[in-house]
Amino acid sequence: MRDIADVAAVEVITTAAVHLMSAAAVKCGLGPDADGVRGVDLMDLDEARKLITALAGLVTASAPDIGNQHARSLRDGLRSLQLAFREASPFPDAPGEGPGEKLTGAVAPSAT
């Protein structure tokens, strides 16, 4: 195990963000099917909302310090989770009211 003093801040921040992303994805019902349990059966949108909002706070606050290369990837993952939450919700939030959107601005599907 590496000494925490040897770990760059950007690595700690991105690792924390990846953990939040992974947990939020599972809570949005996007986890893999395993051991007889379907990923969708693990959906808990109340928990997902909390995780996505925490992720939005971390990404928004750290973006100026971690550089565009890292921040862009984190923002893309965050946006994907915000859209997945909206899609999974039986009663989608109003634009700008979804998880983390007070920090990131309203998220809408891209027109493709």
Side-chain angles (χ1 to χ4, degrees):
M1 184 182 285
R2 295 188 301 175
D3 184 27
I4 196 70
D6 295 332
V7 181
V10 68
E11 189 175 338
V12 174
I13 293 166
T14 56
T15 299
V18 168
H19 284 290
L20 288 167
M21 284 183 190
S22 297
V26 169
K27 299 297 184 176
C28 282
L30 302 174
D33 297 344
D35 299 324
V37 177
R38 297 179 323 147
V40 72
D41 292 336
L42 301 175
M43 185 185 315
D44 184 335
L45 295 179
D46 182 53
E47 290 288 300
R49 179 182 297 278
K50 294 170 189 168
L51 291 162
I52 294 168
T53 299
L55 176 62
L58 177 62
V59 171
T60 301
S62 65
D65 297 317
I66 63 174
N68 192 45
Q69 176 184 351
H70 297 288
R72 185 178 322 125
S73 297
L74 296 178
R75 282 190 203 107
D76 289 347
L78 171 58
R79 182 177 186 280
S80 294
L81 287 167
Q82 289 171 313
L83 291 171
F85 181 93
R86 185 173 297 281
E87 186 174 306
S89 180
F91 305 102
D93 296 310
E97 298 297 320
E101 290 184 4
K102 287 186 167 109
L103 299 165
T104 64
V107 175
S110 57
T112 54

